[in-house]
Structures are given as C-alpha cells and as structure tokens.
Amino acid sequence: MLSRRTLLGSSAALLLASIRSHAATPLPQDLRSALDDSDLIYITPLKKDGGESRCHAEVWFVFDGASVFVVTNATAWRARSIEAGQTRARAWVGEFGNWQGAKESFRTAPELFATGSVVSAANEQTRALELMGDKYRLEWIVWGPRFRNGLADGSRVMLQYAPAA
C-alpha cells in the first residue's frame, strides 16, 4: 500500500530527475555566439548508424539559450524523420546561402549535435514564435501569420533541437 509520504517522495524524485535531464548542455563559446548572431542553420537528420541523411537544408531558427526551435512544413523530411524515431540531428550555424550552392562551405561553421522532438504545447510554441518575431522583425510581417496559421491547422510543425551531450 502506498503511503502519502512515499508518493510525495517519489514524485519529488521524478520532478528533480526531469529538471536535471532538461538542463542545458554547455555549449562551446563559438557555437553559442553563432546561435546568437546567425539567421540560419544548416541541418540534417542522422541515420541510425550515425551517418548523415542525404537531406540537408538551411532554415530559420531561434535559440532560447537552451534549445533551437524551427518551424517547418509538416511533410518536410525534418518533421518526418523525427516522427519516424530518427531524432538525432547535426547542424551547422552560419550563413552560406542555399545549402546546394554553398558547396559544403557550411561545414566550416560551428556545429551542433542535437536531439529533435516535436513541440505540441501551445505555450511553448507561442514563446518560440515570439522569439522568432523579435529575431526576424521585417520578415515576420509575412511569415509570422503563416507560421502561426500553419501550426494551428497542422500544415506546419515546430521542432525543438536540444543539444546532445
């Protein structure tokens, strides 16, 4: 039989473990600076064997000091790979234009290994969208409503990439 003391103690232990597991992974200063200054990241999912996917893209993002957030088409490979359980990703932070035209030059940028997940909590989506609006002020006039409406109707998803240890 469970006592209230045992239940409360177990709940507190689970909460503490959850908080510790969500603590930000320390990032190298060059990566942190790039995340603060750049408008683009170049991202690719990692296969089960650790190799890169053929799919790469340059995307807008926002960094909240702990994780990177991206809004993308619900059918994009970024979203599909996470939904299929391939949550590991590799990203380079910097601005090199279209990834195909960049001819691999983005690989010289600071890199981030991360674990991706879909953000479905409305309050987290709102917080990340507000940060994006601050970052991309001019573009947000057009893209802000598209991102918000797409998240509302399911045509877009928000992805969170937490730095991997």
Side-chain angles (χ1 to χ4, degrees):
M1 180 158 234
L2 260 176
S3 71
R4 185 169 36 166
R5 178 175 287 152
T6 303
L7 181 61
L8 288 173
S10 297
S11 296
L14 283 172
L15 179 62
L16 184 58
S18 174
I19 290 168
R20 285 184 183 152
S21 72
H22 286 86
T25 300
L27 299 176
Q29 187 56 47
D30 67 330
L31 177 57
R32 182 169 284 283
S33 294
L35 287 165
D36 289 339
D37 297 339
S38 180
D39 284 340
L40 296 174
I41 60 171
Y42 296 74
I43 193 161
T44 185
L46 295 178
K47 300 176 194 175
K48 290 179 184 177
D49 67 3
E52 292 177 17
S53 165
R54 295 184 291 119
C55 303
H56 291 73
E58 72 286 348
V59 294
W60 283 359
F61 74 99
V62 69
F63 177 61
D64 71 352
S67 293
V68 169
F69 294 86
V70 170
V71 176
T72 191
N73 233 315
T75 59
W77 52 264
R78 291 174 287 288
R80 290 194 326 256
S81 66
I82 288 174
E83 290 171 357
Q86 290 181 291
T87 59
R88 296 181 318 142
R90 183 178 187 184
W92 298 267
V93 186
E95 297 178 39
F96 300 89
N98 177 280
W99 74 273
Q100 291 172 320
K103 300 189 189 300
E104 305 284 318
S105 62
F106 61 87
R107 292 182 183 277
T108 64
E111 67 181 19
L112 170 70
F113 288 92
T115 302
S117 60
V118 175
V119 177
S120 55
N123 62 329
E124 283 297 306
Q125 289 180 349
T126 298
R127 185 177 68 83
L129 289 174
E130 287 173 0
L131 292 171
M132 285 184 170
D134 290 342
K135 182 175 183 175
Y136 302 102
R137 288 186 188 276
L138 184 59
E139 299 91 341
W140 206 244
I141 294 167
V142 172
W143 287 96
R146 290 181 185 176
F147 282 12
R148 278 190 293 280
N149 293 339
L151 289 169
D153 70 19
S155 63
R156 294 184 186 274
V157 294
M158 182 176 286
L159 305 177
Q160 177 179 6
Y161 292 96

